Structures are given as structure tokens and as C-alpha cells.
Amino acid sequence: MKRLLVMSDTHRDRQWLETIVERHKSDVDAVFHCGDSELDTDDPLLEAITIVRGNTDFEIDFPSFQTTTIDNVTIWQTHGHLLHVTRNDQQALHAAAKEKGADLVLYGHTHIPNVEHIDEKMHIVNPGSLLMPRGGFEPTYCIITIEESKVKTIDYYNRNTGEHNESLSV
């Protein structure tokens, strides 16, 4: 079993990013940030984080897209702005993810937590925003559990308290 900590849109708030990483360092196997960190590429906090560039990461040399494989699950990560992702339109994201053969897609940009299951094989996940949530949501992040080479659960957490908000079985 592997557990992935996923967050996005921290907008220069290094303290919350550090708090969440510290909170879960003993119970996750990998950490992903879906862009708009606005931190320097050489920040030591980012050394163990798989991160992509967001639309507010000006002059920062993070990749726009990342592909990672964990336990035979292909994870494709982006911020979403280059694919014109909005709250109601992820068509280009879906098409690009299918083209890449992704099993799990991680994105940010909308600041709204969201999970979609496509063809029972592909799972598209937005962890929400740690700093500036939208749509009436609280600040959130998620932990995704991979078991037997499949995404099993997606658990959302409250940034402030660390309390479990919602669990989605896949």
C-alpha cells in the first residue's frame, strides 16, 4: 500500500505547506504539489516534493507537467491553466490525460476540491487549495491510497485541524 499527499495553490504560504508535510511525514510515501506554490526552486522544503509550475509561479523553473509511476499506477500531474481548466470544464485535461495513459491525474488551479472517475480506470483529482479555497469550500488537501496497483481511496482533510472531511472509495 502507498499513500500520496496531494496539495495545491499555497501561494507563497510556506508555513502551511511545511505544516501539512510535517503533519503527514510519517504516514505518506510521496508528496505532490499541483502548482502555484510561488516558492523558489531551491527551497529545501521542495526537495522531496514532486511539483509542477502554476500560472502564478512566475520565472520559476518547475516543469509544467510531470509523470510519475508508483506501484504500477501512472500519475500525470499539471496545474491546469495551460489546459484552460475551469470549475466546469476539464475536457482538455481529460483528453491530455488519456493521451498520456494516466491512471491518476492530479491538478489544481480552480481552488476547488474535485474527483472524477473516467472509464473506471482513470481518476482525476483536485485537492483544493491550502490557502485560498473557492466555491464555499474550506482549505483542503488530500491523501490518496494506492493498493494492489489501483487507486483505492481519496481522503480529504481540513488544513487547519487535520480532521478528515470526506473519504471516497474508488
Side-chain angles (χ1 to χ4, degrees):
M1 177 175 71
K2 301 286 184 188
R3 290 170 45 90
L4 318 176
L5 171 59
V6 183
M7 60 195 118
S8 189
D9 297 282
T10 51
H11 293 282
R12 228 181 229 299
D13 194 326
R14 188 182 190 284
Q15 184 58 52
W16 272 118
L17 178 58
E18 187 174 25
T19 297
I20 301 307
V21 168
E22 188 66 26
R23 182 183 289 165
H24 292 284
K25 72 180 182 182
S26 65
D27 65 347
V28 298
D29 300 289
V31 180
F32 293 84
H33 192 295
C34 297
D36 282 356
S37 73
E38 300 181 41
L39 297 178
D40 295 329
T41 54
D42 62 352
D43 188 314
L45 179 59
L46 301 179
E47 287 177 7
I49 298 176
T50 304
I51 190 167
V52 293
R53 182 179 181 175
N55 59 298
T56 63
D57 290 320
F58 303 113
E59 299 180 30
I60 297 174
D61 195 25
F62 299 131
S64 296
F65 306 96
Q66 290 260 36
T67 301
T68 308
T69 301
I70 295 177
D71 194 19
N72 295 316
V73 172
T74 300
I75 302 162
W76 188 66
Q77 177 186 10
T78 187
H79 183 60
H81 66 294
L82 296 175
L83 298 168
H84 310 290
V85 168
T86 67
R87 178 180 189 165
N88 299 313
D89 184 3
Q90 293 97 30
Q91 277 189 305
L93 178 70
H94 295 183
K98 282 185 179 183
E99 181 182 302
K100 299 291 182 188
D103 302 306
L104 175 60
V105 179
L106 306 176
Y107 76 102
H109 190 56
T110 65
H111 296 225
I112 297 171
N114 186 47
V115 175
E116 293 181 69
H117 308 288
I118 307 219
D119 301 333
E120 294 184 27
K121 181 175 172 16
M122 184 188 307
H123 310 284
I124 300 177
V125 179
N126 187 321
S129 173
L130 276 187
L131 189 64
M132 298 182 289
R134 295 181 184 146
F137 290 94
E138 60 193 25
T140 58
Y141 60 94
C142 67
I143 295 179
I144 299 170
T145 303
I146 296 173
E147 196 172 309
E148 297 176 5
S149 300
K150 293 183 182 177
V151 174
K152 288 294 186 184
T153 59
I154 302 163
D155 295 301
Y156 279 87
Y157 294 85
N158 178 302
R159 174 204 71 184
N160 298 331
T161 64
E163 290 177 4
H164 182 257
N165 283 355
E166 180 178 8
S167 183
L168 304 167
S169 294
V170 178

